[in-house]
Amino acid sequence: MSNALFRTKNVEQSILDTEEPEHSLRKSLTALDLTVFGVGVIIGTGIFVLTGTAAKNTAGPAVSLSFVVAGVVCALAALCYAEFASTLPVAGSAYTFSYASLGELPAWIIGWDLVLELALGTAVVAVGWSGYVHSLLDNAGWHLPEALSGRDGAHGFGFDILAAALVLLLTAILVVGMKLSARVTSVVVAIKVAVVLVVIIAGAFFIHGDNYDPFVPKAQSAEAGGNLKAPLIQLMFGWAPSNFGVMGIFTAASVVFFAFIGFDVVATAAEETRNPQRDVPRGILGSLVICTALYVAVAIVVTGMQKYSALSVKAPLADAFKATGHPWFAGLISFGAAVGLTTVCMILLLGQSRVFFAMSRDGLLPRFFSHTHPKFRTPYRSTILLGVVIAVVAGFTSLSELAELVNIGTLFAFVVVAISVIILRRTRPDLHRAFRTPWVPVVPIVSVCATLWLMLNLPAETWIRFAVWMVIGFFVYFFYGASHSRLGRHQETTVSEVMHEPREKGE
């Protein structure tokens, strides 16, 4: 039984499965498309919100260094993703990587984790997008009925029609084809990057050097928490991270890290890339470098425009411009945030549909969902199913309490991929690797340690919710996935053929 749980699907078989006519995806993406996808999913509300939160409460003006630290942690994980995606250019990202190295049960666990992470992330982002659009409509004097706004505090029936409509529209775009999705994403990303650059350039003229003094505020001891909302590390060791000072920079990194979440989704599009061995590493690392540079620039500008202690937590950039007497930029920033969230939502939905598709093609989920559209060559069945479900969830549910599940899911995937790189280097040294993670096993081990540190800084209640979802996943695997696994059935057939093979005389 233990051998069955940890049976691995070799790289050659995984690549061969992508050539089945009814289960193959169209290859149409380039390195530029993947870089745009990466920038599109990374730059969201984080750049407009987390800067102020981390600067005011934890790091002061040194929050720009916190973005650098978080970027380095992501870069360590990105190097591991890049090697796997170039070696195994198959849809599924961390799920597919772990199937080739750790085995079927670990692969199921990470796939189940990614399904929740990306579905919940899509719904959360859609609700956030709806909030920005509602705000812009209110400013223009247009008001939707309360029953269709989905806002907190609505009386009786409440359905967020805008959030649901966005998810359904993006679902239709993804069904039609990846190239159309890439074109839409390129236009939207160009707009939101332009908004970010305008904010950086315009804000640079309102910087006052005095606001950077002190650049690293004096360290303060953070209060220890005793409830489930406190970081797990506090409950385990009774220790609370420091606010401000040098340690405050690293503590803030665990906060701003979540602004980077999403670059790993680029790896899910490897199977739809024309030259994945070359283009996927470029897309992953290129988007990460671009976004880190933008984040650091925004952090420097906003803490130079207004004293860190006076920064707003909810809308630091917009309020910083208001404080300098330029409220017009606040509207531009809200517009940029709304536009930015559109691509975040699309790419998260893209990533989830590909993971679901890969698990279905392997038989761990119903094979019905692994058929591709005869014309568009997209996994239309899984995309439509997930799009409808997420639209309903986004319309009816307030998801702010569950948003951190997205973070722990991503971090868990980082750990699995880093470990998988080490294992596959040992078990399959013969594989051609177009991109090789440098200094293995040092880089993957450092990546695991850095990721675990960030996970320990998440609230304990997030760990509990994550554990519950994983338990549900175990039940689903043992009652369905294990018995329907194509790999398992293939191995059983092979053993049966050997057992019943006629023996020649003399044996």
Side-chain angles (χ1 to χ4, degrees):
M1 178 65 176
S2 60
N3 290 336
L5 296 179
F6 294 96
R7 55 196 173 205
T8 58
K9 183 179 181 181
N10 64 55
V11 172
E12 292 80 5
Q13 183 60 51
S14 294
I15 295 175
L16 191 63
D17 286 348
T18 67
E19 299 173 1
E20 297 177 356
E22 292 185 347
H23 307 281
S24 63
L25 301 172
R26 176 173 294 164
K27 297 181 182 295
S28 60
L29 302 178
T30 65
L32 178 60
D33 293 328
L34 295 177
T35 302
V36 170
F37 276 143
V39 174
V41 72
I42 296 172
I43 296 182
T45 53
I47 198 169
F48 301 110
V49 177
L50 291 180
T51 304
T53 303
K56 183 172 184 176
N57 300 328
T58 316
V63 69
S64 57
L65 299 180
S66 300
F67 276 109
V68 173
V69 172
V72 170
V73 173
C74 287
L76 294 172
L79 290 170
C80 298
Y81 269 91
E83 173 170 324
F84 254 116
S86 64
T87 307
L88 187 56
V90 177
S93 186
Y95 159 75
T96 303
F97 305 158
S98 55
Y99 209 163
S101 54
L102 299 176
E104 186 170 282
L105 180 59
W108 165 266
I109 292 171
I110 192 63
W112 184 251
D113 159 58
L114 289 173
V115 167
L116 173 68
E117 171 208 335
L118 297 173
L120 191 57
T122 305
V124 169
V125 171
V127 172
W129 175 87
S130 175
Y132 276 106
V133 174
H134 276 298
S135 177
L136 292 172
L137 291 176
D138 289 344
N139 291 339
W142 299 336
H143 306 284
L144 284 177
E146 190 178 64
L148 296 178
S149 67
R151 298 177 182 179
D152 293 334
H155 300 289
F157 176 84
F159 184 80
D160 194 332
I161 188 67
L162 291 180
L166 174 67
V167 174
L168 293 177
L169 174 63
L170 297 179
T171 298
I173 293 174
L174 289 173
V175 167
V176 171
M178 280 294 285
K179 201 59 187 177
L180 175 61
S181 305
R183 289 171 182 167
V184 172
T185 302
S186 297
V187 172
V188 177
V189 167
I191 294 173
K192 72 175 176 180
V193 169
V195 171
V196 172
L197 291 175
V198 168
V199 168
I200 293 172
I201 295 170
F205 290 97
F206 309 126
I207 290 177
H208 296 282
D210 293 343
N211 291 330
Y212 293 128
D213 187 20
F215 188 75
V216 181
K218 187 177 179 180
Q220 301 173 4
S221 297
E223 296 182 4
N227 56 43
L228 292 179
K229 292 186 180 295
L232 182 65
I233 195 171
Q234 292 186 19
L235 299 182
M236 290 176 62
F237 305 109
W239 175 82
S242 298
N243 289 340
F244 306 112
V246 174
M247 285 305 299
I249 296 173
F250 294 96
T251 303
S254 67
V255 176
V256 301
F257 167 82
F258 305 125
F260 289 90
I261 281 179
F263 76 84
D264 56 313
V265 176
V266 174
T268 66
E271 190 175 327
E272 295 160 273
T273 305
R274 293 174 185 169
N275 188 347
Q277 288 77 12
R278 180 195 67 189
D279 293 344
V280 174
R282 290 182 180 182
I284 292 174
L285 297 171
S287 59
L288 191 58
V289 169
I290 292 170
C291 293
T292 301
L294 291 175
Y295 281 169
V296 171
V298 167
I300 292 173
V301 167
V302 72
T303 53
M305 291 175 64
Q306 191 174 20
K307 193 72 174 178
Y308 74 90
S309 56
L311 284 173
S312 163
V313 173
K314 291 186 177 180
L317 278 180
D319 290 345
F321 276 104
K322 289 179 181 178
T324 57
H326 298 83
W328 179 84
F329 283 99
L332 178 65
I333 291 169
S334 295
F335 172 75
V339 170
L341 290 179
T342 306
T343 54
V344 176
C345 191
M346 173 187 282
I347 299 166
L348 289 176
L349 183 58
L350 160 72
Q352 193 210 26
S353 66
R354 270 45 179 184
V355 173
F356 197 95
F357 166 77
M359 296 176 73
S360 174
R361 188 164 58 187
D362 289 333
L364 299 181
L365 290 173
R367 287 270 289 172
F368 172 81
F369 296 107
S370 66
H371 289 270
T372 55
H373 194 281
K375 178 181 179 181
F376 304 127
R377 310 309 303 171
T378 56
Y380 68 109
R381 293 177 178 177
S382 59
T383 302
I384 292 173
L385 169 70
L386 296 170
V388 171
V389 170
I390 294 170
V392 172
V393 172
F396 280 113
T397 312
S398 175
L399 298 168
S400 57
E401 289 292 322
L402 300 178
E404 285 179 332
L405 273 173
V406 180
N407 304 331
I408 195 170
T410 300
L411 290 167
F412 180 58
F414 285 4
V415 171
V416 170
V417 171
I419 294 173
S420 297
V421 166
I422 299 174
I423 293 176
L424 202 64
R425 282 284 188 97
R426 290 181 176 274
T427 58
R428 292 298 307 274
D430 58 302
L431 286 175
H432 171 67
R433 293 169 169 84
F435 180 91
R436 296 177 67 89
T437 304
W439 304 312
V440 173
V442 175
V443 167
I445 290 174
V446 173
S447 177
V448 169
C449 293
T451 302
L452 288 175
W453 169 259
L454 295 178
M455 291 177 74
L456 289 173
N457 280 280
L458 289 171
E461 63 182 358
T462 299
W463 282 84
I464 294 174
R465 293 186 182 117
F466 182 67
V468 170
W469 179 253
M470 289 294 103
V471 170
I472 296 173
F474 276 106
F475 278 104
V476 175
Y477 174 75
F478 285 109
F479 281 101
Y480 182 88
S483 59
H484 290 78
S485 165
R486 291 185 69 205
L487 179 62
R489 290 186 173 185
H490 173 72
Q491 290 179 349
E492 288 174 5
T493 302
T494 303
V495 171
S496 176
E497 290 173 351
V498 172
M499 293 289 291
H500 295 88
E501 185 178 9
R503 295 175 179 265
E504 296 182 3
K505 291 181 179 181
E507 286 189 328

